[in-house]
Short mmCIF file of all heavy atoms in Angstrom, two decimals:
data_model
loop_
_atom_site.label_atom_id
_atom_site.label_comp_id
_atom_site.label_asym_id
_atom_site.label_seq_id
_atom_site.Cartn_x
_atom_site.Cartn_y
_atom_site.Cartn_z
N VAL S 90 -15.69 37.97 -6.44
CA VAL S 90 -14.80 38.07 -5.30
C VAL S 90 -14.30 36.69 -4.94
O VAL S 90 -13.11 36.52 -4.58
CB VAL S 90 -15.50 38.74 -4.08
CG1 VAL S 90 -14.65 38.59 -2.82
CG2 VAL S 90 -15.75 40.22 -4.38
N LYS S 91 -15.12 35.68 -5.02
CA LYS S 91 -14.72 34.29 -4.70
C LYS S 91 -13.57 33.90 -5.64
O LYS S 91 -12.59 33.27 -5.15
CB LYS S 91 -15.89 33.34 -4.89
CG LYS S 91 -15.54 31.89 -4.67
CD LYS S 91 -16.74 30.96 -4.88
CE LYS S 91 -16.35 29.48 -4.78
NZ LYS S 91 -17.52 28.60 -4.97
N MET S 92 -13.63 34.19 -6.89
CA MET S 92 -12.57 33.82 -7.83
C MET S 92 -11.29 34.55 -7.46
O MET S 92 -10.20 33.95 -7.50
CB MET S 92 -13.02 34.21 -9.26
CG MET S 92 -14.18 33.37 -9.78
SD MET S 92 -15.02 34.16 -11.23
CE MET S 92 -13.71 34.11 -12.45
N VAL S 93 -11.38 35.82 -7.16
CA VAL S 93 -10.19 36.60 -6.82
C VAL S 93 -9.53 36.02 -5.55
O VAL S 93 -8.30 35.82 -5.51
CB VAL S 93 -10.51 38.07 -6.60
CG1 VAL S 93 -9.34 38.83 -6.05
CG2 VAL S 93 -11.02 38.72 -7.88
N GLU S 94 -10.36 35.73 -4.57
CA GLU S 94 -9.80 35.23 -3.30
C GLU S 94 -9.22 33.84 -3.46
O GLU S 94 -8.17 33.50 -2.86
CB GLU S 94 -10.90 35.23 -2.22
CG GLU S 94 -11.22 36.61 -1.69
CD GLU S 94 -9.99 37.23 -1.06
OE1 GLU S 94 -9.48 36.71 -0.07
OE2 GLU S 94 -9.56 38.29 -1.54
N GLN S 95 -9.82 32.99 -4.25
CA GLN S 95 -9.27 31.65 -4.48
C GLN S 95 -7.91 31.76 -5.14
O GLN S 95 -6.94 31.05 -4.77
CB GLN S 95 -10.23 30.83 -5.40
CG GLN S 95 -11.41 30.26 -4.72
CD GLN S 95 -12.22 29.34 -5.68
OE1 GLN S 95 -12.19 29.56 -6.87
NE2 GLN S 95 -12.90 28.43 -5.11
N LEU S 96 -7.79 32.61 -6.17
CA LEU S 96 -6.58 32.76 -6.89
C LEU S 96 -5.51 33.38 -6.02
O LEU S 96 -4.31 32.96 -6.03
CB LEU S 96 -6.76 33.58 -8.13
CG LEU S 96 -5.57 33.67 -9.13
CD1 LEU S 96 -5.09 32.28 -9.52
CD2 LEU S 96 -5.95 34.46 -10.35
N LYS S 97 -5.88 34.37 -5.24
CA LYS S 97 -4.89 35.01 -4.35
C LYS S 97 -4.38 34.06 -3.33
O LYS S 97 -3.17 34.01 -2.99
CB LYS S 97 -5.54 36.23 -3.69
CG LYS S 97 -4.56 37.08 -2.88
CD LYS S 97 -5.24 38.30 -2.32
CE LYS S 97 -4.24 39.15 -1.58
NZ LYS S 97 -4.82 40.42 -1.00
N LYS S 98 -5.22 33.22 -2.75
CA LYS S 98 -4.77 32.22 -1.78
C LYS S 98 -3.81 31.20 -2.45
O LYS S 98 -2.78 30.88 -1.86
CB LYS S 98 -5.93 31.48 -1.17
CG LYS S 98 -5.55 30.36 -0.23
CD LYS S 98 -6.79 29.59 0.28
CE LYS S 98 -6.36 28.49 1.24
NZ LYS S 98 -5.51 27.45 0.59
N TRP S 99 -4.13 30.81 -3.65
CA TRP S 99 -3.30 29.83 -4.34
C TRP S 99 -1.91 30.39 -4.62
O TRP S 99 -0.92 29.69 -4.47
CB TRP S 99 -4.00 29.47 -5.68
CG TRP S 99 -3.32 28.46 -6.55
CD1 TRP S 99 -3.12 27.13 -6.30
CD2 TRP S 99 -2.64 28.77 -7.80
NE1 TRP S 99 -2.44 26.58 -7.33
CE2 TRP S 99 -2.16 27.54 -8.29
CE3 TRP S 99 -2.50 29.91 -8.59
CZ2 TRP S 99 -1.47 27.43 -9.47
CZ3 TRP S 99 -1.83 29.78 -9.76
CH2 TRP S 99 -1.30 28.60 -10.20
N VAL S 100 -1.83 31.66 -4.96
CA VAL S 100 -0.54 32.29 -5.23
C VAL S 100 0.20 32.61 -3.94
O VAL S 100 1.36 32.26 -3.77
CB VAL S 100 -0.73 33.55 -6.07
CG1 VAL S 100 0.63 34.33 -6.20
CG2 VAL S 100 -1.23 33.20 -7.48
N HIS S 101 -0.48 33.32 -3.01
CA HIS S 101 0.19 33.89 -1.82
C HIS S 101 0.41 32.86 -0.71
O HIS S 101 1.34 32.98 0.07
CB HIS S 101 -0.62 35.03 -1.30
CG HIS S 101 -0.48 36.30 -2.13
ND1 HIS S 101 -0.19 37.55 -1.63
CD2 HIS S 101 -0.56 36.48 -3.49
CE1 HIS S 101 -0.15 38.41 -2.56
NE2 HIS S 101 -0.33 37.81 -3.72
N GLU S 102 -0.47 31.85 -0.63
CA GLU S 102 -0.33 30.88 0.45
C GLU S 102 0.09 29.49 -0.02
O GLU S 102 0.81 28.79 0.74
CB GLU S 102 -1.67 30.74 1.20
CG GLU S 102 -2.14 32.08 1.81
CD GLU S 102 -3.46 31.88 2.53
OE1 GLU S 102 -3.84 30.76 2.91
OE2 GLU S 102 -4.18 32.91 2.69
N ASP S 103 -0.33 29.10 -1.19
CA ASP S 103 -0.06 27.74 -1.68
C ASP S 103 1.09 27.65 -2.66
O ASP S 103 1.41 26.56 -3.07
CB ASP S 103 -1.30 27.15 -2.33
CG ASP S 103 -2.49 27.13 -1.39
OD1 ASP S 103 -2.27 27.09 -0.14
OD2 ASP S 103 -3.64 27.16 -1.86
N GLY S 104 1.68 28.76 -3.01
CA GLY S 104 2.86 28.72 -3.88
C GLY S 104 2.53 28.58 -5.38
O GLY S 104 3.44 28.16 -6.16
N GLY S 105 1.32 28.91 -5.78
CA GLY S 105 0.99 28.86 -7.20
C GLY S 105 1.70 29.89 -8.02
O GLY S 105 2.10 30.97 -7.51
N LYS S 106 1.82 29.66 -9.32
CA LYS S 106 2.53 30.58 -10.20
C LYS S 106 1.53 31.07 -11.26
O LYS S 106 0.99 30.30 -12.05
CB LYS S 106 3.71 29.86 -10.85
CG LYS S 106 4.78 29.45 -9.81
CD LYS S 106 5.85 28.58 -10.39
CE LYS S 106 7.00 28.40 -9.41
NZ LYS S 106 6.55 27.79 -8.12
N LEU S 107 1.34 32.39 -11.25
CA LEU S 107 0.35 33.01 -12.09
C LEU S 107 1.02 33.87 -13.21
O LEU S 107 1.95 34.61 -12.94
CB LEU S 107 -0.51 33.97 -11.26
CG LEU S 107 -1.51 34.84 -12.01
CD1 LEU S 107 -2.58 34.01 -12.69
CD2 LEU S 107 -2.13 35.87 -11.03
N ILE S 108 0.53 33.65 -14.42
CA ILE S 108 0.98 34.38 -15.58
C ILE S 108 -0.23 35.18 -16.10
O ILE S 108 -1.20 34.59 -16.48
CB ILE S 108 1.55 33.49 -16.67
CG1 ILE S 108 2.71 32.67 -16.16
CG2 ILE S 108 1.98 34.35 -17.89
CD1 ILE S 108 3.22 31.65 -17.18
N TYR S 109 -0.13 36.50 -16.07
CA TYR S 109 -1.22 37.35 -16.48
C TYR S 109 -0.80 38.07 -17.74
O TYR S 109 0.00 38.98 -17.78
CB TYR S 109 -1.53 38.37 -15.36
CG TYR S 109 -2.48 39.52 -15.70
CD1 TYR S 109 -3.66 39.32 -16.35
CD2 TYR S 109 -2.07 40.82 -15.38
CE1 TYR S 109 -4.49 40.37 -16.67
CE2 TYR S 109 -2.94 41.90 -15.67
CZ TYR S 109 -4.13 41.68 -16.30
OH TYR S 109 -4.98 42.72 -16.64
#
Side-chain angles (χ1 to χ4, degrees):
V90 169
K91 177 181 177 180
M92 293 161 65
V93 173
E94 285 300 299
Q95 281 185 333
L96 187 55
K97 187 175 181 180
K98 176 183 180 298
W99 180 71
V100 172
H101 285 228
E102 299 180 22
D103 302 334
K106 295 173 172 57
L107 174 65
I108 302 174
Y109 169 49

